[in-house]
Amino acid sequence: MKKGFTPLEFLKNFIGARKNNQKTLTGFTLIELLVVIAIIGLLATIVMVSLNTARIKARDTKRIADFKQIQLGLEMFYDQVGQYPISGGGATWDDHWTFFSNCLKAGTSCGVTLPAGYTPVMASVPQDPLDNPATQSDSDPTYYTGWEGRDGTNYILRGLLESSSNSALANDADGGWRSAVDGGCNDP
């Protein structure tokens, strides 16, 4: 019999030697972990931007619906009283809105004499979704009612939409806070 290795013995020895010399690596490399973290961060950023856009659209939709509800309340007020309220002004825009809201929900601060048996037209008057009801200031968003030059035959409602591409802006009245020429309410 010849001395040496048969092919089968050589293969067994080669595999056994390789197993003994091979290092066993488990886990992920630092590069792999950084790539995964970067991808997760990118996806999270995309989701947050999309959610923020959806929130802006939802708040604008609520503002438009609120104004339609307030317009309906004003028409109901007109049906009972024969004119629109002329609520008094205040030191801030929030104060103006408070007087106006009290008129529609309680029949106070309307600026007109109410008939006997007057029924308040709204149980609660909507507020801007970002308005802080704990403050009476001009620093937080609010709805606005104009009081300049009104005589009970008209009313002015103002609000600020966050999205300049909202289709409601195509049908709104541009102009100003106090007049149609100061540009304070022009579309962005």
Side-chain angles (χ1 to χ4, degrees), residues 111-185:
V112 299
T113 304
L114 300 177
Y118 169 78
T119 305
V121 295
M122 298 182 83
S124 66
V125 178
Q127 303 294 325
D128 188 279
L130 294 177
D131 184 40
N132 180 357
T135 65
Q136 290 293 322
S137 70
D138 290 331
S139 63
D140 59 338
T142 189
Y143 294 147
Y144 306 94
T145 178
W147 52 269
E148 310 86 3
R150 290 187 297 131
D151 59 6
T153 61
N154 60 13
Y155 60 86
I156 301 170
L157 295 175
R158 299 177 182 114
L160 180 64
L161 298 181
E162 295 176 72
S163 173
S164 61
S165 63
N166 193 302
S167 62
L169 293 174
N171 300 321
D172 71 331
D174 291 336
W177 292 107
R178 298 189 180 274
S179 68
V181 295
D182 71 7
C185 288

Side-chain angles (χ1 to χ4, degrees), residues 42-169:
L42 181 65
L43 292 174
T45 301
I46 292 169
V47 167
M48 292 306 290
V49 168
S50 297
L51 285 176
N52 193 38
T53 302
R55 287 181 184 137
I56 287 171
K57 288 180 181 179
R59 286 191 298 263
D60 282 352
T61 300
K62 181 184 183 324
R63 288 178 180 108
I64 293 165
D66 286 352
F67 271 43
K68 288 180 181 180
Q69 182 182 1
I70 294 164
Q71 286 175 318
L72 180 61
L74 285 166
E75 295 305 322
M76 292 169 53
F77 182 92
Y78 188 90
D79 287 344
Q80 287 190 57
V81 180
Q83 70 179 61
Y84 296 109
I86 308 172
S87 53
T92 66
W93 287 111
D94 273 345
D95 290 335
H96 291 291
W97 192 255
T98 299
F99 283 117
F100 180 74
S101 297
N102 288 340
C103 175
L104 295 180
K105 67 183 176 185
T108 61
S109 304
C110 293
V112 299
T113 304
L114 300 177
Y118 169 78
T119 305
V121 295
M122 298 182 83
S124 66
V125 178
Q127 303 294 325
D128 188 279
L130 294 177
D131 184 40
N132 180 357
T135 65
Q136 290 293 322
S137 70
D138 290 331
S139 63
D140 59 338
T142 189
Y143 294 147
Y144 306 94
T145 178
W147 52 269
E148 310 86 3
R150 290 187 297 131
D151 59 6
T153 61
N154 60 13
Y155 60 86
I156 301 170
L157 295 175
R158 299 177 182 114
L160 180 64
L161 298 181
E162 295 176 72
S163 173
S164 61
S165 63
N166 193 302
S167 62
L169 293 174

